[in-house]
C-alpha cells in the first residue's frame, strides 16, 4: 500500500509539473493573442515569391538577397519537395521583380534549405560575400558565397559546420569568413528540441566564428532568433523569441559580448534589420506562435512589424507599424526598409512590399 501511495504521489507530481510546463509553453507562444489588423497604405504582394521569404539582407545600393523555401518539422510548407532558393530583388526599381540566383556547380542545390542570410562587403575590393544558414537533411551549416552581379550568380566558396553550431537560426557577417550566429536549440535532434522548448530550458546561445577562433559569447536565452549589428559596429542586437525581448550586447575587441540591456516586447520577435542611417530596428514578429506550430488554414498565423527607435537611449520607443491576421500575409519573419520602401518576409508564405511615400491605396 505504501509503495502504491509513493508511486501515486510521484505520478501526480510529474503530471502537475508537465501540466505547468505545458501552460507556460502555450503562454510563451502567445496562444491567445489576437491583435487587430493595422494596415499600411500602398502595399502589394511581391509576384514570384510564393513559398517563403524567411530572411533578407539589403545592400547599400538597394540590391536585396531573400532566402526562400525553408523546410522544418514545425513549419508549414506549400512546396515540401521544392529545393530552397535565394532571390535577388532590386528595390530601386518602381516595380521590383525577384530573380532566382544561380548557384555554382558542385553545390548540392537539391538539398538547399536556406534560413538566415547576411552579407559582407569587403572594403578593399568591394567583393560581396553572402552568408546563408543552410539545413541540408536536417543539419546546420553556414554557406559562404561570392556574389557576381553581372551574371546573377552565387559562387560557392565554403561550407562551415562546427560542434558549437548544432542548430543555427540566423547570422550576421563580420568579415569574409567571420560571423555571429544564433543557436536556437542546444540539441540537434528534433525530439529533444521539442522537449527543450516544452520544458522552457534557457539553453539557447550566440556563437562567434572565425577560422582561428570559435566560441560561445552569450547564453541563457530561451530561443535566440534574429541577430544584427549596429551601424557603428559597437553593439549586437539579439531577438529572444520565447522571452519576447530584444537583447542589446556590447561588442568587445576580442569579439566577446557584454550585456547592456533588454527591451521587453508584447510580441514574438524574429529577424532584426537595422536602418543604416538612423540605427532604428525593424523587427519581423509573430503575434501568435501557437498558430505557426499548429497550422490551420482557416485560422492561419498572422504577421506583425514593429519599429524600435532610440534603442540605445534610456527610453526607447516601440511602435507597431503593421499587423495582419493572416488574411494577407501569414507568419511574418523579417521586415526591412530601404529609402521609402518596406519589405516584409515570411517563413513559408509570400512577401509584402509597401511604398511609404506614395498616396494611399488598398493592399493587393
Amino acid at each position: 500500500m505504501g509503495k502504491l501511495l509513493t508511486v501515486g504521489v510521484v505520478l501526480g507530481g510529474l503530471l502537475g509539473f508537465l501540466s505547468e510546463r505545458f501552460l507556460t509553453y502555450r503562454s510563451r507562444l502567445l496562444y491567445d493573442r489576437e491583435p487587430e489588423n493595422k494596415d499600411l497604405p500602398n502595399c502589394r504582394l511581391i509576384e514570384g515569391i510564393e513559398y517563403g521569404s524567411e530572411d533578407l539582407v539589403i545592400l547599400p545600393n538597394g540590391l536585396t538577397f531573400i532566402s526562400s523555401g525553408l523546410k522544418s518539422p514545425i513549419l508549414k510548407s506549400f512546396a515540401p519537395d521544392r529545393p530552397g532558393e535565394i532571390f535577388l530583388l532590386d528595390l530601386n526599381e518602381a516595380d521590383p521583380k525577384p530573380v532566382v540566383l544561380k548557384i555554382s556547380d558542385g553545390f548540392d542545390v537539391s538539398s538547399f534549405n536556406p534560413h538566415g542570410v547576411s552579407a559582407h562587403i569587403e572594403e578593399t575590393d568591394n567583393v560581396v560575400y553572402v552568408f546563408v544558414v543552410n539545413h541540408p537533411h536536417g543539419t546546420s551549416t553556414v554557406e559562404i558565397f561570392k556574389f557576381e552581379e553581372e551574371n546573377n550568380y552565387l559562387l560557392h566558396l565554403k561550407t562551415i559546420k562546427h560542434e558549437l553550431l548544432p542548430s543555427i537560426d540566423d547570422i550576421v557577417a563580420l568579415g569574409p569568413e567571420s560571423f555571429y550566429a544564433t543557436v536556437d536549440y542546444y540539441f540537434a535532434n528534433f525530439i529533444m528540441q521539442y522537449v527543450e522548448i516544452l520544458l522552457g530550458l534557457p539553453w539557447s546561445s550566440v556563437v562567434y566564428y572565425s577560422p582561428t577562433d570559435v566560441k560561445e559569447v552569450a547564453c541563457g536565452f530561451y530561443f535566440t532568433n534574429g541577430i544584427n549589428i549596429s551601424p557603428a559596429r559597437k553593439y549586437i542586437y539579439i531577438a529572444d523569441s520565447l522571452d519576447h525581448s530584444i537583447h542589446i550586447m556590447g561588442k568587445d575587441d576580442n569579439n566577446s559580448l557584454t550585456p547592456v540591456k533588454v527591451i521587453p516586447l508584447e510580441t514574438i520577435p524574429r529577424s532584426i534589420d537595422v536602418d543604416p542611417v538612423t540605427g532604428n530596428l525593424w523587427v519581423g514578429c509573430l503575434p501568435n506562435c501557437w498558430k505557426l506550430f499548429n497550422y490551420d488554414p482557416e485560422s492561419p498565423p498572422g504577421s506583425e512589424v514593429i519599429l524600435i527607435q532610440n534603442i540605445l537611449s534610456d527610453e526607447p520607443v516601440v511602435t507597431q507599424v503593421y499587423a495582419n491576421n493572416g488574411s494577407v500575409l501569414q507568419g511574418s519573419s523579417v521586415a526591412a526598409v530601404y529609402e521609402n520602401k518596406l519589405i516584409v518576409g515570411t517563413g513559408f508564405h509570400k512577401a509584402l512590399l509597401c511604398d511609404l511615400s506614395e498616396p494611399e491605396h488598398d493592399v493587393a
Side-chain angles (χ1 to χ4, degrees):
M1 186 68 177
K3 291 182 179 180
L4 289 177
L5 181 60
T6 300
V7 171
V9 170
V10 171
L11 289 177
L14 179 60
L15 288 174
F17 171 75
L18 292 177
S19 296
E20 185 275 332
R21 288 290 85 192
F22 181 71
L23 292 176
T24 300
Y25 165 73
R26 289 208 309 171
S27 177
R28 289 191 181 278
L29 298 184
L30 300 182
Y31 75 99
D32 58 352
R33 183 167 181 254
E34 297 286 350
E36 295 183 1
N37 285 353
K38 184 174 184 178
D39 295 327
L40 281 173
N42 320 310
C43 294
R44 65 174 180 82
L45 296 173
I46 300 175
E47 184 180 352
I49 298 180
E50 305 291 335
Y51 306 116
S53 44
E54 166 67 24
D55 200 12
L56 61 90
V57 59
I58 304 175
L59 299 183
N61 62 3
L63 292 182
T64 304
F65 301 101
I66 303 173
S67 63
S68 180
L70 176 64
K71 313 313 186 290
S72 166
I74 61 173
L75 194 66
K76 174 68 177 178
S77 175
F78 292 120
D81 299 322
R82 182 189 179 105
E85 299 169 312
I86 301 295
F87 287 109
L88 181 69
L89 196 72
D90 188 351
L91 292 178
N92 295 292
E93 297 176 356
D95 185 19
K97 304 292 185 183
V99 175
V100 177
L101 291 177
K102 295 173 288 187
I103 300 179
S104 57
D105 293 340
F107 181 79
D108 185 7
V109 294
S110 66
S111 65
F112 191 37
N113 191 10
H115 198 163
V117 61
S118 185
H120 169 75
I121 302 176
E122 188 65 11
E123 293 182 356
T124 57
D125 53 14
N126 290 321
V127 170
V128 177
Y129 296 92
V130 180
F131 291 64
V132 182
V133 176
N134 187 20
H135 301 294
H137 310 295
T139 64
S140 279
T141 63
V142 173
E143 311 294 345
I144 302 179
F145 302 91
K146 176 184 175 183
F147 173 53
E148 297 182 359
E149 182 177 353
E150 61 276 11
N151 299 314
N152 287 333
Y153 185 74
L154 291 175
L155 174 65
H156 185 247
L157 301 177
K158 189 174 184 178
T159 296
I160 295 171
K161 188 174 178 64
H162 195 276
E163 61 182 8
L164 289 181
L165 300 168
S167 179
I168 314 169
D169 193 296
D170 199 12
I171 188 172
V172 58
L174 302 175
E177 294 185 88
S178 61
F179 56 84
Y180 289 112
T182 53
V183 179
D184 48 14
Y185 295 101
Y186 179 82
F187 297 103
N189 178 270
F190 171 68
I191 295 177
M192 293 305 298
Q193 290 176 349
Y194 184 78
V195 171
E196 191 177 333
I197 284 189
L198 181 61
L199 295 182
L201 301 176
W203 289 358
S204 194
S205 64
V206 176
V207 168
Y208 168 77
Y209 179 93
S210 76
T212 59
D213 186 20
V214 185
K215 59 187 177 182
E216 183 182 273
V217 291
C219 60
F221 304 97
Y222 289 98
F223 193 95
T224 52
N225 199 317
I227 186 169
N228 219 316
I229 192 168
S230 66
R233 303 177 73 84
K234 293 181 178 180
Y235 298 95
I236 297 295
Y237 305 123
I238 303 160
D240 188 341
S241 293
L242 296 186
D243 188 49
H244 315 149
S245 62
I246 301 290
H247 291 248
I248 303 172
M249 299 273 188
K251 181 178 178 292
D252 301 331
D253 291 340
N254 65 354
N255 296 303
S256 296
L257 299 180
T258 300
V260 175
K261 66 177 178 178
V262 179
I263 298 179
L265 304 173
E266 296 179 355
T267 185
I268 295 174
R270 302 182 76 187
S271 292
I272 301 169
D273 188 77
V274 181
D275 187 309
V277 177
T278 65
N280 294 334
L281 271 59
W282 291 84
V283 188
C285 304
L286 273 174
N288 183 325
C289 195
W290 179 264
K291 290 187 175 184
L292 182 73
F293 289 175
N294 301 273
Y295 185 80
D296 178 357
E298 299 301 318
S299 182
S303 295
E304 188 171 16
V305 174
I306 63 170
L307 170 64
I308 306 178
Q309 298 168 290
N310 306 322
I311 190 167
L312 297 174
S313 71
D314 293 334
E315 297 183 358
V317 179
V318 180
T319 305
Q320 183 194 63
V321 176
Y322 174 81
N324 180 261
N325 61 8
S327 59
V328 174
L329 199 67
Q330 300 181 14
S332 58
S333 56
V334 63
V337 166
Y338 176 74
E339 296 183 348
N340 290 314
K341 292 179 179 177
L342 168 67
I343 182 170
V344 186
T346 67
F348 62 90
H349 196 230
K350 302 176 184 291
L352 189 72
L353 183 64
C354 302
D355 191 331
L356 305 180
S357 64
E358 294 296 321
E360 183 171 336
H361 60 72
D362 294 333
V363 173

